Each structure stands twice: as structure tokens, then as C-alpha cells.
Amino acid sequence: MAMRWADFITPSTLQLAPLLELLLEPINRSPQLGNLQLGLQEVLVNAVRHGNGNDPRKCLRVRRILTPRWLVFQVQDEGCGVPPQGRCHALPEAVDAACGRGLYLIHQCFEDVRWSRRGNRVQVAVRRAA
């Protein structure tokens, strides 16, 4: 299998099920599907809520890259970005914290998480199951 990639641009909305289905369609038989759905859902929700401020006039840009060894997703929002100190992936100390669990889940679901310098694009990747 050669490297394949596809780009998607979609309005910023929490109606994410159709987008998730489209993004995961080429790998829908993978034993990793459950973790990928959970992690990618968190990435997309964070981009809509925190990046684009739930503004449907803004867009999300998503790139899916499939290689023989890796599944890679890049998600970019139109926000000002997450500052480096906000990219922590530990669980929040307060059980009733309003946010912070999403980044933890993302790091549990993906082997590699990388941020753009500005912080409004995140790349997540996982090795393909053998």
C-alpha cells in the first residue's frame, strides 16, 4: 500500500458523526477503530469548542494520511491556538474540572501528538495494527 491522503473542509459544528465516519471509512475493519473514534472525536470537539468557539461560520480543515505503517490525522481550526503550557496531557487534579480530560484521552488513543507552532493545528498518529 502506498501513502494515500485526503483533505476535508467542514463547517465548525458538533454534528461530527458523518465526518468521523468519512475519516475512518478506509480503516473501518481495523482492531484500532474504537480508540481512533474516541481520540479523533476529542480532537474534533476541541477544535470546534475551544478553537473555533462553537462558531459555525468558521471551518475545520482535516487531513487524513494513510501510510503502510501509520494512520495520521491533522486537524486545524481558525482559532488563536493552544499555548504550549496548555497542551498538557495529564488528567486535571479536580474531579469536577470543566475541561482537561480531552487532551488526556487524545494522548491515550494516539502514539504521537504534535502541535503547530501557533497551536491551532494538531497532528495525531498511531501505528497500524499488524
Side-chain angles (χ1 to χ4, degrees):
M1 166 194 213
M3 182 173 84
R4 296 183 302 161
W5 59 272
D7 288 329
F8 305 87
I9 299 173
T10 183
S12 187
T13 173
L14 289 174
Q15 303 296 322
L16 295 168
L19 176 60
L20 268 172
E21 188 176 315
L22 185 63
L23 291 171
L24 296 171
E25 186 273 327
I27 49 179
N28 66 7
R29 296 194 195 311
S30 170
Q32 300 165 296
L33 187 61
N35 273 353
L36 291 171
Q37 284 174 320
L38 177 61
L40 200 50
Q41 170 92 16
E42 286 299 327
V43 170
L44 294 169
V45 166
N46 280 353
V48 170
R49 283 192 179 151
H50 302 295
N52 285 344
N54 288 315
D55 185 345
R57 295 169 298 176
K58 294 183 177 180
C59 289
L60 295 180
R61 295 178 181 275
V62 182
R63 176 171 282 174
R64 178 187 63 212
I65 305 166
L66 306 175
T67 76
R69 294 188 179 173
W70 289 91
L71 306 170
V72 181
F73 300 92
Q74 298 171 341
V75 178
Q76 181 172 341
D77 58 56
E78 295 184 43
C80 18
V82 179
Q85 64 273 18
R87 301 174 194 174
C88 138
H89 56 274
L91 278 172
E93 289 183 28
V95 176
D96 60 347
C99 59
R101 288 174 289 281
L103 290 177
Y104 173 79
L105 284 171
I106 291 165
H107 280 270
Q108 298 306 302
C109 294
F110 293 99
E111 295 174 53
D112 187 52
V113 178
R114 300 177 190 208
W115 294 87
S116 65
R117 183 180 308 252
R118 182 173 160 194
N120 71 326
R121 184 180 67 240
V122 64
Q123 175 177 292
V124 293
V126 65
R127 284 186 186 92
R128 283 183 172 264

